[in-house]
Amino acid sequence: MGVFSFVHELKTHVSPKRLFKALITDPHEVLPKVSPTIKSVETVQGDGGVGSIKKTNFSDDSPLKTLKNRVDFIDTVNYVSKFTLIEGDALDDKVEKICYELKFEDSKDGGCVLKIKSDYHTKGDVVLKEEDIKAGQDHALGLYKACAEYLVAHPHFRLIVSD
């Protein structure tokens, strides 16, 4: 098994706290509103905290049908989350799992910089190249960007956890 790591950054006009809540603690409230391909996000095991399994269900016209992520770490003070894609259409015969770390850092202008690290754990001695996984990463970055844009356009949208 090999591990291939990729790092991305996304600058937004949303506070770290608000974007963290939208993407990490309350994705079931926001993601179906920002992406026409996401039908729902549900916690299928646990209470939403560490060890929980969250399932994303996609629309019939999406190439993806479901994804399951395990929550590995949540720091609601420093806005850091780690989770692992453990099951779903994004995993194929080359990839066993994908581990993500998201850090939401204050950009000092009211927004934040979302730092994303992805570790692709391959099966056997498969070697991945960045272009092999570009579509998946572009999809995730597009979703994060759409979420930030939605929150900017809807400043009064309240997430479950109070602001």
Side-chain angles (χ1 to χ4, degrees), residues 1-15:
M1 174 171 67
V3 179
F4 299 86
S5 298
F6 302 92
V7 177
H8 292 81
E9 286 190 7
L10 177 65
K11 170 79 173 83
T12 75
H13 297 291
V14 179
S15 73

Side-chain angles (χ1 to χ4, degrees), residues 15-36:
S15 73
K17 180 179 182 177
R18 195 154 190 250
L19 191 58
F20 182 86
K21 288 180 196 176
L23 289 173
I24 305 303
T25 60
D26 297 338
H28 57 282
E29 293 289 329
V30 180
L31 295 186
K33 291 176 176 34
V34 303
S35 174

Side-chain angles (χ1 to χ4, degrees), residues 87-112:
E87 187 179 310
D89 304 311
L91 299 176
D92 56 22
D93 59 341
K94 295 179 183 177
V95 180
E96 178 184 323
K97 64 183 177 181
I98 307 170
C99 300
Y100 297 94
E101 179 177 355
L102 277 65
K103 293 181 180 181
F104 301 75
E105 298 181 353
D106 188 353
S107 62
K108 307 295 183 207
D109 63 359
C112 76

Side-chain angles (χ1 to χ4, degrees), residues 78-143:
N78 296 303
Y79 309 118
V80 177
S81 176
K82 295 179 183 180
F83 57 94
T84 301
L85 176 59
I86 57 170
E87 187 179 310
D89 304 311
L91 299 176
D92 56 22
D93 59 341
K94 295 179 183 177
V95 180
E96 178 184 323
K97 64 183 177 181
I98 307 170
C99 300
Y100 297 94
E101 179 177 355
L102 277 65
K103 293 181 180 181
F104 301 75
E105 298 181 353
D106 188 353
S107 62
K108 307 295 183 207
D109 63 359
C112 76
V113 176
L114 173 55
K115 295 184 177 184
I116 307 149
K117 181 180 180 213
S118 308
D119 293 329
Y120 287 70
H121 296 255
T122 59
K123 296 177 181 176
D125 54 359
V126 171
V127 175
L128 291 179
K129 296 180 182 151
E130 190 164 4
E131 58 267 15
D132 294 337
I133 56 171
K134 186 169 177 19
Q137 289 183 329
D138 287 349
H139 181 265
L141 282 172
L143 185 60

